[in-house]
Each structure stands twice: as C-alpha cells, then as structure tokens.
Amino acid sequence: MPTLTVAMIVKNEAQDLAQCLDTVKDWVDEIVILDSGSTDNTQQIALNYGAKFYQNTDWQGFGKQRQLAQQYVTSDYVLWLDADERVTSELQQSIQHALRSNPQNTVYQIGRLSEVFGRKIRHSGWYPDYVVRLYKTDYAQYGDELVHEKVHYPKEAKLEKLQGDLLHFTYKDIHHYLVKSASYAKAWSIQKANAGKKATLFQGITHAIGCFMKMYIFKAGFLDGKQGLLLALLSTHSTFVKYADLWNRTRDQ
C-alpha cells in the first residue's frame, strides 16, 4: 500500500496537538509538522509522537507555509490536518481504502463537522464542509493565498469525497473567535488590497446582512439552536470587519 504522511502547520497548539495526533499516530507512516514560532510546549509534544519537526518564522501566509511543509513530506500521499481536528474511525477506513485503490489523477475531499461553543453545527452552511485534504504528494499543492488557502491540482483531476467526518473543534470561546477572525480579516484585506481591490463601508454592511440571512435563514442556522444564532451574528460582524479593513487600507488610493 502507498505510504502516507500527515502534514501540519502550527503555532502554539499545545492545547490541541496531542488529541489530534492520537487519531493518526498508529496508522500513518510519517508526521511532518512545520512550526511558525511557538512559545508553548508544541515542539515537545510533536517530538513525543515521533513527528519530524521543522520551523519557519518568516511567515508569508498560510499557502506558502503549507508549500514549504510539503517539501519535507517523503510519503506517496499527504493528508493535511489542523491541530484542532480529529480523524474519526470511519474517515480513517475511507482514507486507507483510497490508498489501497491508489487511482491515478485523483484528489480527495473530506467533510468537516465543526463543534462551536459546545454544539456540533449541522446546518448554517457549515456541514458537510468539504475540503481537499488528501492527494499524491507530487500531484498537487496549496496555492500562494495569504488566508483561506486552497489546494491547486490539474484540471483533469478527479475529485472524490471520502466517507466519515473530520471533527473540527474550531473556537474555544468568544475571545478565541474574535482573535482568530480578526487575524483572518486582516490577511483577507491585505490579500485583496495587494490585488488592487477596494471596498466601501456600504459593501461591508450589505455583505454582512447577506451573511446573516444566508447562514441563519437560508442555510437553516436556526436549527443549530443558540449556537447557530451566535455563530450567525459573529460571522456577520466578521464579514463587516474585513470589508471595513479593506476600505481603511485603500481609502486614500
């Protein structure tokens, strides 16, 4: 059967890393972790699991950091994980079946099931949150995006969905959400500004309202209870902030 590496980019993930690696340590061939400057116990935890641990503090965005991490991968296939994710047994079996089949020109999507503020979110447009995470190491790689990076693969590639959920414990609390979303908003606005894009505050308002309507009404976020309402409101805020940030960066241009 082809070999498999779990690849990760991390920074200060001591709280989550061990729980993530516990779900893969017994059945993958290699664990590659690229750290961007942790000050907690991330490195020691990674080494305890036999991971190959590297550091790069010259941060140029999520996409380029993943590109660099992939250069350290030595297996036939690479499976990308974040520290706040957990591979379920059903997903493990599906991944192993894909490796045994070993088809040509194929990349694999994995459905994420996110838990937010103590509840698994099955509506709100969040489930199943399919992302490309498994492919042959020499066949595809992430793009240069600063944030919301995506895997780039040949046009002739077949896209297949794997069975089983990838559990995603995305936000610990409100403060964690606000810090994380502010970081994403900044990276998004820089990326857009660098591409010559501009925005108005009115666009921020309309996109924010549209975000709430889509998540809470059209995507049935109301079925996710209080967490669904809170998530829709927070996402509305984050949407406005990223457009406001872009407006502020480009208003004198």
Side-chain angles (χ1 to χ4, degrees), residues 73-94:
V73 171
T74 64
S75 296
D76 301 311
Y77 280 80
V78 57
L79 169 66
W80 285 97
L81 295 177
D82 293 334
D84 59 1
E85 296 173 337
R86 316 283 183 263
V87 176
T88 59
S89 57
E90 184 182 3
L91 177 57
Q92 174 191 336
Q93 293 171 16
S94 184

Short mmCIF file of all heavy atoms in Angstrom, two decimals, residues 73-94:
data_model
loop_
_atom_site.label_atom_id
_atom_site.label_comp_id
_atom_site.label_asym_id
_atom_site.label_seq_id
_atom_site.Cartn_x
_atom_site.Cartn_y
_atom_site.Cartn_z
N VAL A 73 7.74 16.39 3.08
CA VAL A 73 7.00 15.13 3.03
C VAL A 73 7.74 14.12 2.16
O VAL A 73 8.15 14.45 1.04
CB VAL A 73 5.57 15.37 2.49
CG1 VAL A 73 4.86 14.04 2.23
CG2 VAL A 73 4.78 16.23 3.47
N THR A 74 7.89 12.89 2.65
CA THR A 74 8.60 11.86 1.88
C THR A 74 7.69 10.71 1.46
O THR A 74 8.15 9.80 0.76
CB THR A 74 9.77 11.29 2.71
OG1 THR A 74 9.25 10.63 3.88
CG2 THR A 74 10.73 12.39 3.13
N SER A 75 6.42 10.72 1.84
CA SER A 75 5.50 9.63 1.51
C SER A 75 4.83 9.84 0.15
O SER A 75 4.90 10.92 -0.44
CB SER A 75 4.42 9.50 2.59
OG SER A 75 4.99 9.15 3.83
N ASP A 76 4.14 8.80 -0.30
CA ASP A 76 3.44 8.86 -1.58
C ASP A 76 2.25 9.82 -1.53
O ASP A 76 1.97 10.53 -2.49
CB ASP A 76 2.94 7.47 -1.97
CG ASP A 76 4.06 6.46 -2.10
OD1 ASP A 76 5.06 6.77 -2.77
OD2 ASP A 76 3.95 5.36 -1.51
N TYR A 77 1.55 9.80 -0.39
CA TYR A 77 0.37 10.65 -0.21
C TYR A 77 0.58 11.58 0.98
O TYR A 77 1.31 11.26 1.92
CB TYR A 77 -0.88 9.80 0.07
CG TYR A 77 -1.52 9.19 -1.16
CD1 TYR A 77 -1.01 8.02 -1.72
CD2 TYR A 77 -2.65 9.76 -1.74
CE1 TYR A 77 -1.60 7.44 -2.84
CE2 TYR A 77 -3.25 9.18 -2.85
CZ TYR A 77 -2.72 8.03 -3.39
OH TYR A 77 -3.31 7.46 -4.50
N VAL A 78 -0.11 12.72 0.94
CA VAL A 78 -0.10 13.65 2.06
C VAL A 78 -1.53 13.92 2.50
O VAL A 78 -2.42 14.15 1.68
CB VAL A 78 0.63 14.97 1.71
CG1 VAL A 78 0.00 15.66 0.50
CG2 VAL A 78 0.66 15.90 2.91
N LEU A 79 -1.74 13.85 3.80
CA LEU A 79 -3.02 14.17 4.43
C LEU A 79 -2.81 15.39 5.30
O LEU A 79 -2.01 15.37 6.23
CB LEU A 79 -3.52 13.00 5.29
CG LEU A 79 -4.72 13.28 6.21
CD1 LEU A 79 -5.97 13.58 5.39
CD2 LEU A 79 -4.95 12.10 7.16
N TRP A 80 -3.53 16.47 5.00
CA TRP A 80 -3.38 17.71 5.75
C TRP A 80 -4.37 17.77 6.91
O TRP A 80 -5.56 17.54 6.72
CB TRP A 80 -3.60 18.92 4.84
CG TRP A 80 -2.46 19.17 3.92
CD1 TRP A 80 -2.33 18.77 2.62
CD2 TRP A 80 -1.26 19.87 4.24
NE1 TRP A 80 -1.13 19.18 2.11
CE2 TRP A 80 -0.44 19.86 3.08
CE3 TRP A 80 -0.78 20.50 5.39
CZ2 TRP A 80 0.81 20.46 3.05
CZ3 TRP A 80 0.47 21.10 5.35
CH2 TRP A 80 1.26 21.07 4.19
N LEU A 81 -3.85 18.11 8.08
CA LEU A 81 -4.69 18.30 9.26
C LEU A 81 -4.30 19.58 9.97
O LEU A 81 -3.16 20.04 9.88
CB LEU A 81 -4.53 17.13 10.24
CG LEU A 81 -5.01 15.74 9.79
CD1 LEU A 81 -4.70 14.72 10.87
CD2 LEU A 81 -6.49 15.75 9.46
N ASP A 82 -5.27 20.15 10.68
CA ASP A 82 -5.01 21.23 11.62
C ASP A 82 -5.07 20.66 13.03
O ASP A 82 -5.73 19.64 13.27
CB ASP A 82 -6.03 22.36 11.46
CG ASP A 82 -5.90 23.08 10.13
OD1 ASP A 82 -4.79 23.07 9.56
OD2 ASP A 82 -6.91 23.64 9.66
N ALA A 83 -4.42 21.32 13.97
CA ALA A 83 -4.33 20.78 15.32
C ALA A 83 -5.69 20.65 16.00
O ALA A 83 -5.86 19.82 16.89
CB ALA A 83 -3.40 21.65 16.16
N ASP A 84 -6.66 21.45 15.58
CA ASP A 84 -7.98 21.39 16.21
C ASP A 84 -8.92 20.42 15.50
O ASP A 84 -10.14 20.49 15.68
CB ASP A 84 -8.61 22.78 16.30
CG ASP A 84 -8.79 23.45 14.94
OD1 ASP A 84 -8.43 22.84 13.91
OD2 ASP A 84 -9.27 24.60 14.91
N GLU A 85 -8.36 19.49 14.73
CA GLU A 85 -9.16 18.50 14.01
C GLU A 85 -8.86 17.09 14.53
O GLU A 85 -7.78 16.82 15.04
CB GLU A 85 -8.89 18.58 12.51
CG GLU A 85 -9.32 19.91 11.90
CD GLU A 85 -8.91 20.08 10.46
OE1 GLU A 85 -7.93 19.41 10.03
OE2 GLU A 85 -9.53 20.90 9.76
N ARG A 86 -9.84 16.20 14.36
CA ARG A 86 -9.71 14.81 14.80
C ARG A 86 -10.24 13.90 13.70
O ARG A 86 -11.36 14.10 13.20
CB ARG A 86 -10.52 14.54 16.08
CG ARG A 86 -10.39 15.62 17.16
CD ARG A 86 -9.09 15.54 17.92
NE ARG A 86 -9.06 16.54 18.98
CZ ARG A 86 -8.48 17.73 18.88
NH1 ARG A 86 -7.89 18.08 17.73
NH2 ARG A 86 -8.47 18.58 19.89
N VAL A 87 -9.49 12.87 13.34
CA VAL A 87 -9.90 11.91 12.32
C VAL A 87 -10.76 10.83 12.98
O VAL A 87 -10.31 10.16 13.93
CB VAL A 87 -8.68 11.27 11.63
CG1 VAL A 87 -9.13 10.20 10.63
CG2 VAL A 87 -7.85 12.34 10.93
N THR A 88 -11.97 10.63 12.50
CA THR A 88 -12.84 9.59 13.04
C THR A 88 -12.43 8.23 12.46
O THR A 88 -11.74 8.15 11.44
CB THR A 88 -14.30 9.86 12.69
OG1 THR A 88 -14.44 9.92 11.26
CG2 THR A 88 -14.77 11.19 13.29
N SER A 89 -12.88 7.16 13.10
CA SER A 89 -12.53 5.81 12.63
C SER A 89 -13.10 5.55 11.24
O SER A 89 -12.45 4.90 10.41
CB SER A 89 -13.03 4.76 13.62
OG SER A 89 -14.43 4.87 13.81
N GLU A 90 -14.30 6.06 10.96
CA GLU A 90 -14.89 5.88 9.63
C GLU A 90 -14.06 6.59 8.57
O GLU A 90 -13.83 6.05 7.48
CB GLU A 90 -16.32 6.39 9.60
CG GLU A 90 -17.02 6.15 8.27
CD GLU A 90 -18.43 6.72 8.22
OE1 GLU A 90 -18.86 7.35 9.20
OE2 GLU A 90 -19.10 6.53 7.18
N LEU A 91 -13.59 7.78 8.88
CA LEU A 91 -12.75 8.51 7.93
C LEU A 91 -11.41 7.80 7.74
O LEU A 91 -10.91 7.71 6.62
CB LEU A 91 -12.53 9.94 8.42
CG LEU A 91 -11.60 10.81 7.56
CD1 LEU A 91 -12.10 10.90 6.13
CD2 LEU A 91 -11.47 12.21 8.17
N GLN A 92 -10.84 7.29 8.82
CA GLN A 92 -9.59 6.53 8.71
C GLN A 92 -9.75 5.37 7.73
O GLN A 92 -8.90 5.16 6.85
CB GLN A 92 -9.18 5.99 10.08
CG GLN A 92 -7.98 5.06 10.02
CD GLN A 92 -7.74 4.32 11.33
OE1 GLN A 92 -8.16 4.78 12.39
NE2 GLN A 92 -7.09 3.18 11.27
N GLN A 93 -10.82 4.61 7.87
CA GLN A 93 -11.05 3.47 6.99
C GLN A 93 -11.21 3.91 5.54
O GLN A 93 -10.71 3.26 4.62
CB GLN A 93 -12.28 2.71 7.46
CG GLN A 93 -12.11 2.04 8.81
CD GLN A 93 -13.40 1.47 9.36
OE1 GLN A 93 -14.38 1.31 8.62
NE2 GLN A 93 -13.43 1.17 10.65
N SER A 94 -11.87 5.04 5.33
CA SER A 94 -12.07 5.55 3.98
C SER A 94 -10.75 5.99 3.36
O SER A 94 -10.49 5.76 2.17
CB SER A 94 -13.06 6.72 4.02
OG SER A 94 -13.34 7.19 2.72
#
